[in-house]
Amino acid sequence: MRPEERRQGIMDVLMETGAATVEDLSQRFAVSRMTIHRDLDELEQGGFLRKVHGGASLQSSMQFESDFRYREKIATAEKRRLAAHAASMVEPGQIVLIDDGSTAGGVAAFLKDIRPLTVITNNLGVVDALCGTPGIEVICLGGQYSKKFHGFFGIVTEEALAALRADIAFLSTSAVHGVTAFHQDQEVVQAKRRMMASATRTVLMVNHGKFGRSAIHLYTPLAAFDTVLTGAELPERQAQQLVEAGVALIRVGEMTEKTNTGEEAA
């Protein structure tokens, strides 16, 4: 196994487990502990992980946070609340568009009782969740498969989206800075923008931890979405600033929801 393949394998292990010991990695890849230490040093210098005594753990950075295996483990309770609320915005007979995000993808679990529906998606997780469900027609957008994002992207995806229309689109993003959404991958941004253009109504689903962050590619201003869903964990002051900037914000809580005025709804 070449060093770059082994290092990717190490990252795959950390994506699944969060941490690993030098001894475990040495046995798994059948190399010496010294070789693993060199691999970990290289990966740490690249900002991919953090070396700890006797092993390594994931280092928080955009390098790996884009990986769906990492994303699906983050803010799970909040994402489930957002998904449940998003599903309540769907009516039987509609055409629903869902992007590659783990937050938007969570809506799939709540759509099985809202039938009939047509679901268009480039998210392989959504296809797996809904494929074969009676009353739900799944249209899988073609394109080049990305293991990192667990979805399909590229020219084929974008051309397919240009020929389709949806009643509502559930979209996600990796970072929100100020009143603008950002993402670290340009092909993903292109697909998301195409989805916005193909939908009558657009809903951004973003957990509160994504606010105050940035990424290399500008996606779109938040005001471009018909609704922005986030958790009630987003501070009141920050929420009010977004509302004053024209963002149609809804903060979803455990038992109650907060409206776009920033106040709790009954």
Side-chain angles (χ1 to χ4, degrees):
M1 179 181 290
R2 293 180 297 177
E4 57 268 27
E5 293 175 342
R6 186 175 58 252
R7 288 164 189 163
Q8 180 58 56
I10 290 172
M11 289 306 302
D12 289 342
V13 171
L14 292 176
M15 288 290 183
E16 296 295 332
T17 63
T21 67
V22 171
E23 183 63 34
D24 288 342
L25 294 172
S26 175
Q27 293 179 6
R28 181 185 290 266
F29 295 103
V31 295
S32 70
R33 292 166 58 90
M34 186 59 67
T35 296
I36 293 297
H37 274 294
R38 285 196 292 267
D39 288 337
L40 297 182
D41 287 338
E42 185 75 19
L43 290 168
E44 185 177 47
Q45 289 176 13
F48 293 98
L49 55 77
R50 180 168 61 91
K51 286 190 74 176
V52 296
H53 181 68
S57 64
L58 287 178
Q59 174 68 42
S60 181
S61 77
M62 282 292 182
Q63 295 285 356
F64 67 83
E65 286 180 12
S66 57
D67 192 293
F68 83 97
R69 292 168 297 178
Y70 176 86
R71 289 184 282 120
E72 67 182 0
K73 297 176 183 177
I74 299 302
T76 54
E78 182 180 357
K79 289 178 180 179
R80 186 170 177 81
R81 277 185 272 132
L82 300 185
H85 183 90
S88 73
M89 303 167 75
V90 177
E91 299 178 3
Q94 288 190 323
I95 302 170
V96 181
L97 183 55
I98 303 175
D99 78 359
D100 65 288
S102 61
T103 307
V107 179
F110 295 92
L111 295 180
K112 295 181 179 180
D113 294 326
I114 310 173
R115 296 175 286 180
L117 284 179
T118 297
V119 175
I120 304 169
T121 187
N122 67 332
N123 188 325
L124 189 54
V126 172
V127 175
D128 290 340
L130 296 178
C131 185
T133 302
I136 297 183
E137 179 180 355
V138 179
I139 298 176
C140 180
L141 296 167
Q144 184 172 353
Y145 175 71
S146 165
K147 180 180 178 181
K148 177 189 287 188
F149 296 103
H150 203 41
F152 299 90
F153 303 93
I155 294 175
V156 174
T157 309
E158 294 166 20
E159 289 182 347
L161 282 165
L164 296 168
R165 293 294 299 170
D167 296 299
I168 188 167
F170 295 113
L171 305 158
S172 56
T173 193
S174 58
V176 175
H177 185 71
V179 293
T180 305
F182 292 84
H183 201 279
Q184 65 271 32
D185 189 279
Q186 60 183 348
E187 280 198 330
V188 175
V189 169
Q190 285 295 101
K192 291 177 186 293
R193 288 176 178 171
R194 287 283 189 177
M195 289 179 176
M196 293 183 72
S198 295
T200 301
R201 186 179 183 189
T202 57
V203 180
L204 179 68
M205 301 171 62
V206 54
N207 76 71
H208 77 285
K210 300 292 180 65
F211 287 85
R213 308 184 65 179
S214 188
I216 188 170
H217 297 290
L218 187 151
Y219 172 11
T220 190
L222 296 185
F225 297 98
D226 294 290
T227 306
V228 174
L229 295 181
T230 192
E233 295 90 340
L234 186 72
E236 177 73 28
R237 181 177 179 181
Q238 193 169 6
Q240 196 59 42
Q241 290 174 341
L242 292 170
V243 172
E244 290 173 357
V247 178
L249 182 71
I250 295 177
R251 289 184 292 162
V252 183
E254 292 285 358
M255 302 300 296
T256 60
E257 294 166 6
K258 298 189 178 185
T259 67
N260 60 2
T261 64
E263 299 176 353
E264 290 192 7

